[in-house]
Amino acid sequence: MSKVKKQAKVLFVSSEVYPFAKSGGLADVSFGLPKAMSDLFDISIIMPLYGSIDKKRFKIRQVEQFDIYLGKKKYAVELFTTSHEGIKCYFIESNILSNKKNLYGTPQNGYKDNDLRFGLFCKAVVAFVKQKNSYDLLHLNDWQSALCATFVKEDEAIRAKTLFTIHNLSYQGIFEKSTLEKLGISENYFHMDALEFHGNINFMKAGIAHADAITTVSPNYANEIIAPEFGCGLEGFLQKHQNKFTGILNGIDLSHFSPSTDKALVQNYDAKSYDKKAENKKAFLKERGLENSALPLFVFIGRFTWQKGVDLLIDALGQLDDLKLNIAVLGEGEASYHKQMKAVTAKSKNINIEFGYDESLSHKMYASADFLLMPSLFEPCGLNQLISMSYGTLPIVSSVGGLKDSVYPIDEYDSALTHGFGLTFEANEPNALIKTIQSALELYEDKKRLKEINIHNMGCDFSWNESGKIYAALYSSLVER
Ligand code: ADP
């Protein structure tokens, strides 16, 4: 990379960043990608300072205070900062943004004032950028930071370009029309080529309409969302902006997800010492009260939502009586799923469910499992399958979105290839998940083949190396425009 590119100053804007606040993959990407870009660009991160973030632990200190106007109302905003693993991180604190228990709301409903909360966040970010007057590029992520694209576009004094990444099109940030006035956004944006969406305001549309470039998190999802089945009503709008839209597969940060260094594990291992992985399974089964350690262990880790195929999972759990396997589930989400899960677990000694969010337990599960279940009905990229392959755990995935781009069917296994393999199925075929679990049980008997494929997967590169190069080229092309 040339010196010019190295000097380019980038601000990565996200509503969640690991390790400060995480509800899912967005947080992993929002630290992993900037970190991967930091050799080539002068990149910092900015996010909301939620009340749940431990300022002391992360040595987060206040830098300055300023006021932001949303419509006619004045909000006091404070800017905080810290450095994490060499990356400069900024935080926006303001009462409405920071005084809630969760990031966005409950699994059932988003907070009622999310329009104000994230409208304020975007306004404060853009005010910060304008004041610094040194940023070349703002990389925006999902609807919570999408309005920055509109605010940058309408202020001629800001020269920064904007890149908008769609991590999940099904969350768009849709609010009543009155939000326009509340945020002081001009009525001129209330039309179908800008923020208007069936009489409402759609924050995601701001990013799509006004950013200089758009990416999503896998090439296959980029194709899927320009068609009605996965387009969530925005397929036509995305088609209109297709000339600035590409799909780039997410990676994982190997300093956070690596079985050879992971502090959460009972026993570290790598591809060469693969057999040591079994120590983790032994300890995990004991800890979770799963009795027969000779049986294969299947795990599911994720949000309990329709998207993640939780209905298929619950259906399969209910039919497993005769099968010889252990299943451990970690997650939280919709109350009805919690209830159904409790009901199926009560019937079986071989199922263990932990409700909640637990980073350390999730790492233990990736390391302990024989198989990872990921029966998603749609999946923009998915990180679990990348993590599981890095930990030598075979993924069982539906063939959608980024899962299709990252997990190749095991029938096509060829050790000379550099991509990962797993068991794949079509989610809409009846009993597809249960049939694939049966295939996994057969494969489990062929220990030599299973081990060979898992070791092959561990040798594949699921880091940001490759996708980082594509992002770097895109960043450079945007700042040089
Ligand atoms: P999402 O759609 O939720 O963003 P991804 O597959 O992109 O799904 O990323 C999920 C990330 O969140 C992974 O790092 C996964 O391990 C983690 N995760 C999901 N649910 C939990 C949980 N209940 N406890 C701990 N980690 C979780």
Side-chain angles (χ1 to χ4, degrees):
M1 287 285 155
S2 75
K3 194 129 198 253
V4 178
K5 287 169 192 165
K6 188 169 170 62
Q7 295 309 319
K9 209 167 162 183
V10 181
L11 185 63
F12 195 94
V13 188
S14 179
S15 58
E16 56 181 275
V17 179
Y18 183 85
F20 308 111
K22 172 169 168 178
S23 80
L26 173 61
D28 292 327
V29 171
S30 296
F31 193 74
L33 178 54
K35 192 169 140 190
M37 294 290 99
S38 64
D39 281 347
L40 300 168
F41 299 90
D42 177 1
I43 189 164
S44 358
I45 297 171
I46 193 160
M47 66 174 291
L49 188 63
Y50 300 107
S52 56
I53 297 177
D54 187 342
K55 286 196 209 119
K56 239 192 195 156
R57 177 181 161 211
F58 294 114
K59 300 193 173 64
I60 297 172
R61 59 188 171 80
Q62 196 193 33
V63 189
E64 61 186 274
Q65 283 178 298
F66 51 99
D67 292 331
I68 290 290
Y69 280 89
L70 292 182
K72 292 192 186 85
K73 215 167 159 197
K74 190 163 88 175
Y75 291 84
V77 168
E78 292 175 47
L79 180 74
F80 286 75
T81 190
T82 194
S83 175
H84 184 68
E85 294 186 24
I87 310 288
K88 184 108 176 146
C89 303
Y90 292 101
F91 303 83
I92 300 289
E93 186 178 70
S94 188
N95 200 21
I96 55 166
L97 193 56
S98 315
N99 66 358
K100 304 273 195 300
K101 186 167 163 265
N102 300 321
L103 274 55
Y104 314 123
T106 63
Q108 277 69 36
N109 295 303
Y111 292 128
K112 283 213 171 71
D113 61 350
N114 272 348
D115 53 347
L116 284 178
R117 294 175 77 226
F118 292 102
L120 178 65
F121 173 60
C122 291
K123 274 232 160 144
V125 167
V126 174
F128 166 77
V129 167
K130 189 171 178 175
Q131 183 217 12
K132 292 263 173 200
N133 193 25
S134 58
Y135 284 102
D136 300 296
L137 175 67
L138 268 66
H139 187 164
L140 315 171
N141 295 278
D142 271 351
W143 70 265
Q144 294 91 340
S145 52
L147 275 180
C148 291
T150 305
F151 297 147
V152 166
K153 200 171 183 74
E154 70 183 0
D155 192 333
E156 282 174 7
I158 302 176
R159 60 180 184 83
K161 299 290 192 319
T162 52
L163 165 62
F164 178 58
T165 297
I166 299 169
H167 294 259
N168 192 333
L169 191 65
S170 71
Y171 301 102
Q172 296 178 4
I174 298 172
F175 303 97
E176 285 175 8
K177 190 192 168 195
S178 57
T179 290
L180 268 190
E181 201 187 330
K182 280 198 265 175
L183 296 182
I185 296 175
S186 160
E187 278 270 341
N188 293 342
Y189 290 113
F190 196 67
H191 60 86
M192 62 185 283
D193 288 327
L195 274 64
E196 188 269 338
F197 187 66
H198 303 295
N200 292 314
I201 293 299
N202 184 322
F203 281 27
M204 182 73 95
K205 281 189 77 184
I208 297 170
H210 298 139
D212 296 297
I214 315 166
T215 62
T216 189
V217 290
S218 69
N220 192 38
Y221 189 60
N223 280 331
E224 287 176 346
I225 59 179
I226 52 169
E229 189 184 357
F230 296 108
C232 305
L234 288 182
E235 58 278 6
F237 198 57
L238 280 167
Q239 279 169 27
K240 219 177 208 168
H241 291 281
Q242 222 174 337
N243 61 342
K244 59 173 184 179
F245 177 45
T246 48
I248 305 174
L249 193 70
N250 278 339
I252 51 173
D253 179 356
L254 295 183
S255 64
H256 181 48
F257 292 114
S258 177
S260 58
T261 53
D262 193 329
K263 291 198 174 68
L265 309 193
V266 167
Q267 173 68 60
N268 290 112
Y269 60 96
D270 58 18
K272 283 196 193 108
S273 58
Y274 179 80
D275 291 338
K276 287 188 185 169
K277 176 172 158 50
E279 291 301 314
N280 292 293
K281 178 176 172 183
K282 215 166 121 189
F284 177 81
L285 292 176
K286 198 167 167 207
E287 184 189 308
R288 310 307 304 177
L290 292 163
E291 284 166 9
N292 190 342
S293 63
L295 300 181
L297 173 64
F298 292 68
V299 297
F300 174 95
I301 300 159
R303 295 179 291 117
F304 294 164
T305 61
W306 177 85
Q307 176 202 338
K308 297 288 173 185
V310 176
D311 295 287
L312 300 183
L313 177 71
I314 291 171
D315 185 42
L317 291 176
Q319 295 184 51
L320 293 177
D321 283 356
D322 303 329
L323 297 182
K324 299 207 169 328
L325 50 84
N326 285 311
I327 294 203
V329 175
L330 167 63
E332 60 185 349
E334 292 162 30
S336 68
Y337 286 135
H338 283 233
K339 213 166 141 192
Q340 291 176 64
M341 291 249 188
K342 276 185 191 144
V344 281
T345 327
K347 289 192 213 144
S348 172
K349 277 196 311 208
N350 294 358
I351 305 175
N352 178 267
I353 303 196
E354 182 69 24
F355 295 102
Y357 185 91
D358 187 333
E359 188 74 26
S360 164
L361 179 59
S362 73
H363 286 229
K364 284 184 190 162
M365 290 168 76
Y366 288 118
S368 305
D370 298 293
F371 300 99
L372 173 94
L373 295 171
M374 220 173 160
S376 305
L377 301 183
F378 73 93
E379 194 58 77
C381 176
L383 297 180
N384 296 23
Q385 80 283 10
L386 305 180
I387 304 168
S388 93
M389 289 190 283
S390 300
Y391 281 66
T393 295
L394 201 83
I396 296 178
V397 304
S398 51
S399 287
V400 289
L403 298 176
K404 203 167 179 173
D405 284 325
S406 56
V407 182
Y408 285 67
I410 209 165
D411 302 339
E412 295 166 20
Y413 174 66
D414 177 345
S415 61
L417 298 173
T418 54
H419 48 242
F421 292 88
L423 289 159
T424 63
F425 64 93
E426 299 299 328
N428 49 13
E429 270 177 27
N431 289 324
L433 177 59
I434 195 96
K435 281 186 201 153
T436 316
I437 291 175
Q438 277 158 347
S439 308
L441 291 176
E442 280 165 34
L443 181 62
Y444 187 70
E445 295 308 313
D446 191 350
K447 296 257 180 327
K448 199 166 154 242
R449 179 168 156 81
L450 183 57
K451 180 173 167 181
E452 184 187 337
I453 297 170
N454 281 330
I455 288 177
H456 167 88
N457 286 349
M458 289 180 84
C460 297
D461 185 0
F462 301 113
S463 75
W464 279 103
N465 283 342
E466 285 310 308
S467 297
K469 285 182 199 151
I470 307 173
Y471 268 109
L474 181 57
Y475 279 14
S476 299
S477 78
L478 284 167
V479 298
E480 282 164 11
R481 251 183 223 176

